[in-house]
Amino acid sequence: GKICGTFAMLERGEPTYDKIYDGHWLTGDDGRDYIAIHRVAISVSSRGSGLSGKIIDFAVSFAKEKGRKSLRIDTHRGNAVMRRMLEKNGFEYCGIIYLESGDERIAYEKVLN
């Protein structure tokens, strides 16, 4: 009965993903045929439990149900834990995006089959 983690998904695309630098999206740079994942957080007591993989599995199922081609996500360059988790779960590095504030983020995409 406790909250172990949280995340958000955007069905209608992420405007800051419209332009990507030093790379490209695996499914193409135009269109919004993806689900964006944001704000993944796992409680300290639940880290190492496989919860992040379950979040990704849920997002994959949701995106497929909606007929989307991929999942996209971004993170801070220095967030090594998140970057390892993404790569472990089949995401590939695609390039750099910039938030509306101008802050840099590292962008990843997972193509759905």
Side-chain angles (χ1 to χ4, degrees):
K2 65 178 181 173
I3 297 174
C4 298
T6 186
F7 68 103
M9 292 189 300
L10 298 177
E11 284 189 65
R12 304 199 192 285
E14 167 57 62
T16 60
Y17 291 175
D18 290 348
K19 292 185 180 179
I20 189 166
Y21 302 89
D22 297 327
H24 64 277
W25 295 111
L26 302 174
T27 57
D29 293 343
D30 38 313
R32 295 195 175 185
D33 206 12
Y34 63 89
I35 299 286
I37 303 173
H38 287 297
R39 297 173 196 83
V40 177
I42 308 295
S43 69
V44 173
S45 63
S46 296
R47 291 185 186 155
S49 69
L51 182 56
S52 59
K54 290 177 184 174
I55 287 171
I56 299 303
D57 290 346
F58 176 85
V60 165
S61 294
F62 182 84
K64 285 180 175 180
E65 181 181 299
K66 297 292 183 179
R68 302 303 166 82
K69 293 180 183 176
S70 68
L71 295 172
R72 293 182 182 178
I73 192 168
D74 63 87
T75 190
H76 296 269
R77 182 179 295 276
N79 191 343
V81 172
M82 182 65 158
R83 293 179 73 179
R84 274 193 306 275
M85 184 280 290
L86 292 172
E87 291 166 6
K88 178 181 175 183
N89 284 281
F91 284 82
E92 294 182 44
Y93 170 83
C94 292
I96 298 168
I97 60 107
Y98 291 92
L99 304 179
E100 289 180 11
S101 66
D103 292 344
E104 175 192 87
R105 295 292 184 268
I106 305 302
Y108 288 85
E109 185 170 32
K110 177 182 177 85
V111 176
L112 308 176
N113 297 324

